[in-house]
Amino acid sequence: CFDCRRRRSTQTCQHPDLTRLAHESQFSVNEVEALHELFKKLSCSIIDDGLIHKEELRLALFQAPNLFLDRVFDLFDEKKNGVIEFEEFIHVLTVFHPSAPIQEKIDFAFRLYDLRQTGFIEREEVHQMVAAILKESDMLLSDELLTMIIDKTFADADSDKDGKISKEEWRVYVLEHPSLLKNMTLPYLKDVTTAFPSFIFNTEVED
Amino acid sequence: KFFNAFEFISSMSSGFDLSSLFESK
């Protein structure tokens, strides 16, 4: 229908957008084009409307538990309109680029773990995430042991002992434990044009 | 091995691991 075509045409990533997105991110124009190939594939897996819906993200992330899926989706969905647009997709993926500043990765990881978006990582949130993973993995852990693990973690990270981890406490803690950021870098992004060579058929520029 | 809750979450959570986006390509 005409409305669908008009809506789709406004979502098509034209050359100026590609250039702007490349300027705003760690990606070259060709890499943004290659990521657009990935975006198109993800965004048509259930509803072919050029937008990633939550169920499409769930499908791509192999049926992750709701707790994590909701948080990841919220971080992608900057406009809070219930869908992920290509621009929002690039804004998140650039944080995961191997060359992205470490502070951006630290901030993003903080936002992931701050499930209730209170500006702090609280004990209940950590408990909730660990319990969800235990359930996901069919692992059994006594409440006593789980409490001990969380107590030990907060004893290390919560330096002012107010029962919650602030952004600054998180920054200091992560810099002491850099392995916590390993999921925040996706090596694929360094070679994305090779991973999605089909962008060449639609490319508008040569890098 | 997992005496740190965040270590446990980042090692075990598939939900926060965006590499699956590329693996599904």
Side-chain angles (χ1 to χ4, degrees):
Chain A
C1 67
F2 175 73
D3 278 348
C4 293
R5 266 183 287 149
R6 187 175 55 182
R7 192 157 59 106
R8 198 173 285 187
S9 71
T10 60
Q11 289 156 0
T12 305
C13 210
Q14 300 299 329
H15 178 73
D17 285 333
L18 296 175
T19 310
R20 181 174 54 79
L21 286 171
H23 276 298
E24 289 172 359
S25 68
Q26 298 289 331
F27 304 112
S28 67
V29 175
N30 281 170
E31 286 170 336
V32 173
E33 288 177 310
L35 287 171
H36 196 228
E37 295 297 310
L38 170 65
F39 181 85
K40 283 191 290 187
K41 182 179 177 294
L42 297 174
S43 65
C44 72
S45 62
I46 297 175
I47 305 168
D48 188 7
D49 62 355
L51 301 162
I52 298 177
H53 296 254
K54 194 179 280 188
E55 285 306 308
E56 291 172 321
L57 187 68
R58 185 199 303 277
L59 198 63
L61 293 179
F62 303 126
Q63 313 284 335
N66 284 336
L67 172 69
F68 299 107
L69 181 77
D70 286 348
R71 194 69 203 111
V72 170
F73 189 87
D74 280 349
L75 288 174
F76 271 106
D77 183 15
E78 294 168 345
K79 294 180 185 170
K80 305 299 174 207
N81 58 356
V83 286
I84 303 169
E85 298 173 17
F86 181 57
E87 187 166 323
E88 295 170 324
F89 188 67
I90 292 292
H91 288 167
V92 167
L93 287 190
T94 188
V95 176
F96 288 80
H97 193 283
S99 305
I102 191 164
Q103 189 58 49
E104 285 184 18
K105 294 177 188 288
I106 293 171
D107 290 345
F108 195 91
F110 183 89
R111 292 167 66 206
L112 269 177
Y113 295 140
D114 180 13
L115 296 178
R116 299 178 199 165
Q117 299 163 68
T118 57
F120 295 93
I121 301 173
E122 295 164 287
R123 285 183 64 93
E124 293 75 18
E125 292 167 328
V126 179
H127 186 284
Q128 206 179 342
M129 288 184 278
V130 174
I133 293 166
L134 289 170
K135 192 176 172 193
E136 178 191 3
S137 321
D138 289 328
M139 289 170 70
L140 292 173
L141 199 67
S142 68
D143 284 345
E144 193 183 6
L145 190 52
L146 180 52
T147 303
M148 276 175 63
I149 290 172
I150 293 172
D151 284 349
K152 171 73 170 68
T153 303
F154 272 73
D156 292 343
D158 177 21
S159 50
D160 67 3
K161 308 297 173 208
D162 65 350
K164 53 193 182 183
I165 299 168
S166 68
K167 279 186 182 172
E168 179 56 18
E169 287 169 336
W170 174 250
R171 191 184 68 81
V172 172
Y173 183 67
V174 167
L175 290 174
E176 285 170 2
H177 301 82
S179 64
L180 296 181
L181 290 181
K182 68 175 188 291
N183 282 355
M184 294 304 305
T185 295
L186 297 172
Y188 299 90
L189 292 174
K190 213 162 188 177
D191 212 14
V192 76
T193 52
T194 311
F196 300 95
S198 55
F199 84 91
I200 289 171
F201 299 115
N202 302 314
T203 189
E204 297 182 33
V205 293
E206 280 184 35
D207 263 353
Chain B
K1 186 183 176 185
F2 293 123
F3 212 66
N4 176 311
F6 292 112
E7 194 79 51
F8 179 79
I9 294 166
S10 66
S11 301
M12 299 291 290
S13 169
S14 60
F16 284 167
D17 181 7
L18 295 189
S19 62
S20 334
L21 292 178
F22 299 88
E23 285 159 14
S24 66
K25 75 186 176 68

